[in-house]
Amino acid sequence: MENNSRKLLTYFYKGCFLFHFLIPFSLFSESQFTFRSIDLSSYPEVKLRLHANGELMPSGSGYSLSEQLGTITRFTEDIRLTRSEKRNRIFLNISIPSYTNSKDRRWLLSLVNHLVKISEQSGGHSKLHVQSDTNFHVFERVKSQVLDVSFPFPKESITQFPIRGWEQFLDSLQTNETNEDHFLLLVSFSKEWPDRFEIPEFAKRLREKRLKLIVVSPNSLEAEKLVSYANGDLYPISKPESFEVLFSNLKQNTDPDWEMVYTSPWNLSIWKENEVYGNLTSVITGTSFEFQYQISPIQTLYLKFSDPFVFFPVTLFLILLCFASLYYLRGFENPNGNKKISELAPSVLLSESENSERKEELAVYDRMYGETLEKAAKDREVALATKEKEILPGISYTYAVVQVREGSQMYEPIPLQWEVMTIGNFESNHIVLHDPTVSGLHAKIKNRKGKYILFDCVSEVGVYLNGKKLLRPKVLHNLDEIQLGKTILTFRGRY
């Protein structure tokens, strides 16, 4: 193990040394395109956003672009290439094994330090996982400056089931919903993985997360099978040039993207269903890049409404239409406020003869039963005034406070100085309780001529007075205990 560590350390530093003297190679020299996005909002003008390893010629000369619809292919010569000014961010999720000696530890920390630096320079961040069969060690947003001899690198026994640990690490990662590069970089010293039968399922979940796979391990059948299933890249740990290529490829992913704009030779209708296959080919080397896009009425509607100049006016029109509908659906207002509603409604719905008969019936009904709306309203006012004059049982206090106790913490007494004091979790209450089991507006205490009445404001868990659930408003007495959720309030009154 010590000899292997010495060799790995030597290869790694050679790779780091060569990495600083790399010269960018030209287009299509082992070129690889990464498709980012496509914009069809100005169709037949098509805008492709892609990432290319190397430099492209902005004039578009030297490339041939064709579109295939069915079995017929057409070419276009109007190709414009522009490069974005903003560099791409890359996000690294790195899983490394634990160490058995100081040389392994130094080599692993040095490797992770160089990887994290590349991510930091691009504006991204990194997540570090230390493999273990029993524990789960993860360092969020790890920084390169902390990856030195003082880094709290946990020492674990050699993992027997690496894929299971990687699956647990994968579960902690979110699905990549952006066009940015999110990598899962796995480092392993083992040639054989006893849980290799889980490779297909692990690769499937990796593709669903939309993460790019990088494996740094000995060249083995298991590693080749994993990168094949997940469309990843394998960097044999025993080859010194592997680290050179790894750092170079990661660095190239941070280069700005290219935008290719061209006019479609088909000029199809945006309201019909069509699927088009495109091909960009280098006239010099013959290397090609394939892509496809689809035109459909649903997609066209989405693109039209996503345009701010269409979305905001249409939204404003729909809002005004809703308000107008609500205004007319609510019915017409009574233009004569002094007339009874019962007298006004028949004049709208009935003819003149029927209206006069209906008025006579309503007059007789009013004399016999006295149930018109105006009389009913007056009766309610009289009932409320009578209720206010009733003498409530209990003692009148000249001054009262409540003592709030949350668990073992006791707060200062709160004077009940207003006619109505609301209690709850909302900040708008007079007495605010920071208790998650308390409702926003849980209860209230009303002062009526020195008698303090407790009300339950239809709370979820209810209000308890002296251990009994409050079913109707009750007058409070000195030293009564009020329970709201997990909070206790003690009422204290002074004559």
Side-chain angles (χ1 to χ4, degrees), residues 76-317:
T76 180
E77 297 180 355
D78 184 18
I79 305 174
R80 300 182 301 277
L81 285 168
T82 56
R83 192 160 196 174
S84 174
E85 297 180 357
K86 186 178 179 181
R87 297 180 65 85
N88 286 321
R89 298 187 300 172
I90 62 173
F91 301 87
L92 295 178
N93 302 287
I94 308 169
S95 177
I96 60 174
S98 186
Y99 61 93
T100 56
N101 53 54
S102 59
K103 292 182 179 179
D104 285 347
R105 186 179 191 276
R106 187 168 67 254
W107 183 86
L108 287 168
L109 287 176
S110 183
L111 172 64
V112 175
N113 182 279
H114 282 79
L115 293 171
V116 172
K117 278 183 180 178
I118 297 176
S119 177
E120 289 176 347
Q121 290 170 0
S122 70
H125 55 77
S126 303
K127 188 174 184 178
L128 180 62
H129 166 243
V130 179
Q131 301 160 19
S132 172
D133 288 332
T134 56
N135 300 313
F136 185 64
H137 302 286
V138 172
F139 300 89
E140 298 278 355
R141 294 182 176 269
V142 64
K143 301 293 184 181
S144 59
Q145 58 264 27
V146 302
L147 293 167
D148 52 18
V149 293
S150 62
F151 183 74
F153 195 164
K155 186 174 183 180
E156 296 282 347
S157 57
I158 299 175
T159 179
Q160 300 297 321
F161 303 100
I163 297 180
R164 295 178 185 177
W166 295 336
E167 286 179 341
Q168 189 178 6
F169 182 43
L170 184 62
D171 291 337
S172 67
L173 305 178
Q174 295 182 350
T175 303
N176 178 24
E177 301 291 350
T178 67
N179 294 324
E180 297 173 324
D181 292 325
H182 289 247
F183 292 92
L184 178 61
L185 196 148
L186 308 177
V187 181
S188 176
F189 292 152
S190 303
K191 290 185 177 181
E192 295 183 358
W193 302 335
D195 50 352
R196 53 184 172 272
F197 59 88
E198 299 180 14
I199 288 178
E201 182 64 25
F202 176 67
K204 178 183 177 182
R205 294 170 59 188
L206 187 63
R207 292 194 301 270
E208 292 174 352
K209 291 275 189 177
R210 296 182 60 189
L211 301 176
K212 297 182 179 181
L213 177 65
I214 296 176
V215 179
V216 179
S217 71
N219 201 349
S220 63
L221 182 62
E222 286 83 356
E224 292 178 356
K225 186 177 180 181
L226 177 58
V227 297
S228 175
Y229 284 0
N231 298 325
D233 297 312
L234 173 63
Y235 297 89
I237 205 169
S238 58
K239 296 182 179 180
E241 61 271 15
S242 294
F243 302 101
E244 172 191 345
V245 178
L246 171 61
F247 296 143
S248 175
N249 290 343
L250 288 176
K251 196 70 174 178
Q252 287 173 352
N253 275 278
T254 64
D255 294 338
D257 289 336
W258 289 86
E259 185 179 65
M260 181 178 68
V261 183
Y262 69 94
T263 303
S264 173
W266 290 101
N267 195 12
L268 302 169
S269 171
I270 59 177
W271 301 106
K272 292 183 179 179
E273 191 86 22
N274 286 294
E275 190 170 7
V276 181
Y277 295 88
N279 184 283
L280 177 66
T281 306
S282 170
V283 179
I284 302 173
T285 64
T287 308
S288 62
F289 165 68
E290 296 181 352
F291 60 94
Q292 70 180 69
Y293 62 87
Q294 189 174 14
I295 300 175
S296 65
I298 297 177
Q299 181 179 353
T300 301
L301 287 173
Y302 172 76
L303 292 175
K304 293 294 184 183
F305 280 102
S306 61
D307 185 358
F309 293 101
V310 176
F311 175 77
F312 290 109
V314 171
T315 304
L316 180 60
F317 171 76

Side-chain angles (χ1 to χ4, degrees), residues 19 45 83 103-104 161 205 214 227 233 252 273 292 319 321 325 358 408 436 441 450 456 468 473 481 486:
F19 171 69
E45 185 180 74
R83 192 160 196 174
K103 292 182 179 179
D104 285 347
F161 303 100
R205 294 170 59 188
I214 296 176
V227 297
D233 297 312
Q252 287 173 352
E273 191 86 22
Q292 70 180 69
I319 292 174
L321 183 63
S325 302
R358 182 62 176 162
S408 59
L441 177 58
D456 183 358
K468 294 182 179 180
E481 284 197 349
K486 297 181 179 179

